[in-house]
Amino acid sequence: SSSRMERDGVSAGADSGDQAGSVETAVARSFLIVDIRGYTSFTQTHGDEEAGKLASRFAALVREAISATGGEVLELRGDEALCVFPSARQALRAAVELQFRFRQRPKGQPIFPLGVGIGLAAGEAVAVERGYRGASLNLAARLCSLAGPGQILASETVTSLAGAVDGLRFVERRAVRVKG
């Protein structure tokens, strides 16, 4: 037997001839992208060796904060990390934790010399080899690129899903239109 559903010219369903597992399933996730601000200038000023040390410190701080808040680091590329969370609240808590860790100043010295910008978005995404694909990842990347050092920019979907979160206050920002 065969089942099929159509709406507005888009069809979805399983014919008896479909192979099991051939249909991609989208799942709702929250995505966090964090990026070092001023990394290229730092590299030009201090050289590749120091930039490599900075990137290693960045990776360690990201891994620690993300694992402590229940997320997963999907990709680390020098000065940028892509992380995924099962909930918007966890992603928000991770973003705050990241900013806290990058701003620490034990004994008056910064633990990390540059600021980071963070973008958060949530939505359905399709699982692909070693990651996900979907509009929410693109939005997280766009928000990250708009975030200044020390800033966290979250989509309306993230703040709506999270609702009130103890210890966090959302500040509305002027509306921006992003590609896609």
Side-chain angles (χ1 to χ4, degrees):
S1 83
S2 141
S3 67
R4 179 160 302 289
M5 181 172 68
E6 281 196 35
R7 181 182 166 148
D8 298 331
V10 178
S11 64
D15 289 336
S16 57
D18 287 350
Q19 294 180 353
S22 65
V23 177
E24 294 293 329
T25 303
V27 292
R29 296 279 188 261
S30 292
F31 297 95
L32 178 153
I33 298 179
V34 56
D35 183 73
I36 302 172
R37 299 299 181 238
Y39 184 75
T40 302
S41 296
F42 182 92
T43 302
Q44 292 169 346
T45 303
H46 299 284
D48 291 337
E49 190 172 298
E50 286 301 311
K53 289 177 187 176
L54 186 72
S56 292
R57 201 167 340 142
F58 171 76
L61 287 166
V62 167
R63 283 189 184 107
E64 289 169 12
I66 299 306
S67 69
T69 51
E72 177 186 354
V73 177
L74 294 177
E75 293 179 28
L76 265 167
R77 287 178 285 159
D79 66 338
E80 183 180 81
L82 165 62
C83 311
V84 63
F85 295 84
S87 86
R89 284 182 182 204
Q90 284 175 294
L92 283 165
R93 287 186 177 113
V96 171
E97 181 65 22
L98 280 167
Q99 290 294 10
F100 174 77
R101 288 180 188 228
F102 280 99
R103 289 179 171 181
Q104 284 183 331
R105 298 180 68 82
K107 299 179 185 173
Q109 296 299 313
I111 201 164
F112 200 80
L114 300 175
V116 298
I118 299 174
L120 296 164
E124 288 193 350
V126 176
V128 295
E129 185 179 333
R130 293 189 217 131
Y132 296 91
R133 294 293 170 257
S136 53
L137 277 96
N138 296 337
L139 181 54
R142 305 267 189 272
L143 292 173
C144 181
S145 70
L146 293 172
Q151 281 190 320
I152 300 167
L153 296 182
S155 70
E156 287 181 58
T157 304
V158 169
T159 59
S160 178
L161 287 170
V165 179
D166 284 345
L168 295 185
R169 180 174 57 94
F170 300 122
V171 177
E172 195 162 329
R173 181 186 155 104
R174 65 176 167 75
V176 292
R177 183 173 297 283
V178 294
K179 183 179 174 184

